[in-house]
Amino acid sequence: MDGCPIGVDIPAFVRQVRDGNLNGAYQVIRDTNPLPAICGRICSAQCESQCVLKDKDGAIAIRALERFAADFGRTRMVKPKLVDRTAKKIAIIGSGPTGLSAAFVLSQRGFSVTIFESFDRAGGMLRYGVPEFRVPKKILDSEINDIRSLDVKLEMNCLVGRTFTLDELFNREGYHAVLLATGAAVPRFLDVPGVNLGGVYYGEEFLMRVNLMKTGIFSRYIPNFVIGSKILVVGSGNTALDCARSAVRLGREVHLIFKATEDDMRVRSIEREYAKEEGVKMESLARPVEIIGGPDNFVKTVKCVRMDYAQLDKKGNWTLDEVPGSEFEIEADTVIVAIGHKPNGLLAKLCPGLEIAEDGTIEVDEDGLTTLNRVYAAGNVVSNARPFIDAVASGMLVAESMAEKIN
């Protein structure tokens, strides 16, 4: 349990699974986890690194058991807990994992909660930034509906600073506090020649387009999604791996290139092995140095260089240097850059007085309170890009602080 950021009673739910009581297992998980079926699919499973059997026979597959319990232990209708509602209203900006988790806590504490989302569907990165094969939309919709059943309201197509201002939420709509949970979905750019060529996409953009391909929205508003037959994905995290596996499912030949070794990738080893089984070609200890275009100004090849461990830095970590004379080229007509992401800087412009750090994150105190009165922030907009489960934990923790302060 020490490894679980949200404190799920892991021994208790595992015992319930062992005894065949899947409904009981699900109830144990959902006492503290607002998104159990999603956690069972994409959680980084930090708990498994703390399992007492890890060094003996291997850790118990806690994430897989959680998915099993969530898929088969959930009754057809989740009965919401009856709570006494206060007259105090809280607005949550963003319906991603942080916003949904905060709503779960605050609603159970008796507050009237409304989530405002800028898109037309709730879910944030869970809907638009995670592929269908990892989080099916019917699973996401089911989890969101369970939270809505707690008397949480959802308002779509609402952009803070444009549709309404924070002052309007407080003074006109009567909200007692606001939680900013807008995430960190702005991509970090690759600094090499050729990034402006046609056929270069960023990971978040690519995944959003893929997720919209099955909807009418895609055909009406995003008609020009042209990808070639040979795709090079740059990056070593979950976004990069999701892009590579999605591209394989579109029938493309895919290379994944990254500077470190496969063991140093910021993904679960099982996800990496899935990608290799599916046909993703790993190009480790290498990095792109130039994207080369053809006569039509679209990507033609990518010039790369080999990397190797050189020496220890002051912190005792190995540094990576380019290997002289190791340049090589990979034929590609599409490049997807997925080397990290950061919060949207637009929030600072739309919310005057909100203090922003140099890396784009919102400055908060230990309770999650920003420099604006009664305005809190949680999740990746505060911590920058962190694993999914950390965003959930942050939303729940700040929600608890808000409940104490407002009461």
Side-chain angles (χ1 to χ4, degrees), residues 232-297:
L232 178 68
V233 181
V234 183
S236 62
N238 282 309
T239 300
L241 201 64
D242 285 347
C243 289
R245 296 176 67 188
S246 295
V248 166
R249 283 164 169 76
L250 295 175
R252 271 54 175 187
E253 178 183 323
V254 182
H255 284 80
L256 180 64
I257 186 170
F258 44 94
K259 291 194 297 184
T261 65
E262 288 187 17
D263 289 338
D264 291 327
M265 291 180 69
R266 301 184 305 277
V267 299
R268 282 170 57 86
S269 59
I270 189 65
E271 306 284 357
R272 184 182 70 222
E273 294 307 313
Y274 287 156
K276 292 167 72 173
E277 289 175 6
E278 292 163 5
V280 176
K281 298 177 176 64
M282 302 284 184
E283 199 70 59
S284 60
L285 287 172
R287 75 175 185 89
V289 293
E290 183 180 3
I291 302 172
I292 302 170
D296 58 355
N297 288 322

Side-chain angles (χ1 to χ4, degrees), residues 191-250:
D191 186 18
V192 301
V195 292
N196 294 322
L197 289 169
V200 177
Y201 296 92
Y202 283 84
E204 292 76 12
E205 172 194 12
F206 178 79
L207 289 174
M208 180 175 288
R209 286 171 178 257
V210 169
N211 277 317
L212 289 172
M213 285 179 70
K214 297 179 181 179
T215 70
I217 295 174
F218 182 85
S219 59
R220 281 182 292 166
Y221 301 113
I222 317 177
N224 299 317
F225 182 33
V226 180
I227 56 174
S229 59
K230 297 182 178 181
I231 297 180
L232 178 68
V233 181
V234 183
S236 62
N238 282 309
T239 300
L241 201 64
D242 285 347
C243 289
R245 296 176 67 188
S246 295
V248 166
R249 283 164 169 76
L250 295 175

Side-chain angles (χ1 to χ4, degrees), residues 245-367:
R245 296 176 67 188
S246 295
V248 166
R249 283 164 169 76
L250 295 175
R252 271 54 175 187
E253 178 183 323
V254 182
H255 284 80
L256 180 64
I257 186 170
F258 44 94
K259 291 194 297 184
T261 65
E262 288 187 17
D263 289 338
D264 291 327
M265 291 180 69
R266 301 184 305 277
V267 299
R268 282 170 57 86
S269 59
I270 189 65
E271 306 284 357
R272 184 182 70 222
E273 294 307 313
Y274 287 156
K276 292 167 72 173
E277 289 175 6
E278 292 163 5
V280 176
K281 298 177 176 64
M282 302 284 184
E283 199 70 59
S284 60
L285 287 172
R287 75 175 185 89
V289 293
E290 183 180 3
I291 302 172
I292 302 170
D296 58 355
N297 288 322
F298 270 74
V299 177
K300 183 178 180 181
T301 61
V302 180
K303 184 178 180 181
C304 307
V305 64
R306 299 289 179 190
M307 308 293 292
D308 200 2
Y309 291 97
Q311 58 186 355
L312 294 172
D313 61 18
K314 294 180 180 179
K315 295 182 179 180
N317 300 317
W318 286 99
T319 59
L320 285 165
D321 287 344
E322 296 181 2
V323 177
S326 65
E327 292 83 2
F328 66 100
E329 291 187 1
I330 297 177
E331 186 179 352
D333 43 25
T334 301
V335 174
I336 302 171
V337 180
I339 55 174
H341 31 88
K342 59 184 179 180
N344 193 332
L346 182 64
L347 199 60
K349 298 178 181 178
L350 299 179
C351 302
L354 190 67
E355 190 169 332
I356 306 293
E358 290 184 5
D359 63 354
T361 56
I362 298 175
E363 296 278 10
V364 296
D365 65 13
E366 59 184 9
D367 294 316

